[in-house]
Amino acid sequence: MGNNLCFQTGERSSQFPQLLLKYEIGNCEIALTAGPVENEDVECLVIPTDSGYTNIKQSDRPSFKQINEKCVFVAGSKKRKSQIFAVVMDKNYSVKNDDGEDEKQTIYATVQEALRLAEQKQMKSVGFPVFESKDHTTSATIMLMAIKLTITEQKIKSLKRIAITLDHIEQVSSFKWVFQQVFKGSEQLRYSRAYSSSINTQIDSISIDDLKSKVKSNTKEETP
């Protein structure tokens, strides 16, 4: 299961996530932090779940169906932050090959959909936990590229901070390395239309165009 992250501040343990890396694109900060995601300094938290919300307390489950079958927004209260329930934990992926392409496409599309929903609801900041894939490097590559391309290719005005919060030590080195590859030399990567082996030699190339076309196709099929 790995070790939970815990950091020392002075003489007592801090329960607030620690900043590992950050990068700014326009007026939006992308931050990589480590610690309890529920304590992240954001207005809205993205909660991974399945289509039945089985990991969500009954009292917290939305009473309505997601419009797009991926994300649903639940407004916050005085006691808790706003939340976006993101359906990325269903086990009924129609995986076409051993590389789990459908799972990668689901993570990519859901991250972008969550960002669009947060922007639509005029959230100033949003926090993501790690969306698990076959390994941490794959998760990092898909999530960070989805965030970067959403910011650079779409009109993001409200969101000023997007955080990915790590909760296990084993995630840190992979996410830090991918973060540096994605955001270092950003001018060269800004208009990149594909994941390439220069970003990550440990996973197969994932075509952004292919992901986008499949996402659009699925959206059309869901539209009444």
Side-chain angles (χ1 to χ4, degrees):
M1 294 296 293
N3 298 316
N4 289 333
L5 290 168
C6 184
F7 298 96
Q8 297 294 323
T9 302
E11 297 180 353
R12 62 177 183 174
S13 174
S14 172
Q15 289 300 307
F16 294 98
Q18 180 186 63
L19 179 65
L20 301 178
L21 292 168
K22 68 177 181 179
Y23 191 86
E24 290 188 4
I25 298 179
N27 295 321
C28 186
E29 176 188 277
I30 302 96
L32 185 66
T33 66
V37 65
E38 63 272 15
N39 293 342
E40 186 64 65
D41 184 22
V42 291
E43 278 188 277
C44 180
L45 285 175
V46 179
I47 310 296
T49 186
D50 54 40
S51 56
Y53 308 118
T54 56
N55 65 321
I56 307 296
K57 289 194 302 183
Q58 186 71 40
S59 58
D60 292 339
R61 295 178 188 178
S63 58
F64 49 89
K65 184 71 174 177
Q66 312 98 297
I67 295 174
N68 54 32
E69 302 299 329
K70 293 183 179 68
C71 296
V72 61
F73 179 85
V74 179
S77 64
K78 292 182 180 179
K79 294 185 178 180
R80 65 169 177 79
K81 300 177 174 72
S82 295
Q83 297 177 326
I84 293 175
F85 295 143
V87 178
V88 290
M89 293 169 58
D90 278 347
K91 300 301 182 182
N92 58 347
Y93 297 120
S94 55
V95 179
K96 298 176 180 178
N97 51 52
D98 292 338
D99 294 327
E101 292 300 321
D102 281 9
E103 182 183 72
K104 296 174 187 176
Q105 291 158 10
T106 296
I107 293 173
Y108 172 82
T110 305
V111 169
Q112 290 207 320
E113 186 61 41
L115 290 173
R116 286 193 291 268
L117 189 53
E119 176 72 14
Q120 178 187 336
K121 299 297 182 179
Q122 298 185 327
M123 296 289 103
K124 300 296 183 185
S125 54
V126 62
F128 289 85
V130 172
F131 286 179
E132 296 291 347
S133 186
K134 67 177 183 179
D135 55 58
H136 301 318
T137 308
T138 302
S139 296
T141 303
I142 297 171
M143 293 187 71
L144 289 167
M145 286 299 291
I147 290 170
K148 180 175 182 176
L149 291 173
T150 298
I151 296 172
T152 56
E153 295 184 357
Q154 300 181 31
K155 294 181 179 179
I156 298 295
K157 296 180 179 179
S158 179
L159 282 171
K160 304 300 181 187
R161 184 172 188 266
I162 302 169
I164 296 180
T165 303
L166 315 181
D167 65 351
H168 286 84
I169 291 173
E170 290 86 350
Q171 299 166 342
V172 174
S173 60
S174 296
F175 270 80
K176 286 181 69 175
W177 186 82
V178 174
F179 190 100
Q180 290 168 338
Q181 300 307 307
V182 169
F183 295 111
K184 293 292 184 181
S186 186
E187 288 299 319
Q188 288 75 23
L189 287 172
R190 180 171 297 174
Y191 300 105
S192 173
R193 298 187 64 81
Y195 297 110
S196 68
S197 57
S198 63
I199 295 174
N200 182 358
T201 57
Q202 298 183 42
I203 65 173
D204 296 328
S205 177
I206 306 171
S207 169
I208 294 296
D209 288 330
D210 183 53
L211 283 170
K212 287 179 179 176
S213 65
K214 292 191 177 184
V215 170
K216 287 180 180 178
S217 175
N218 291 338
T219 300
K220 288 178 180 178
E221 289 176 3
E222 293 169 3
T223 301

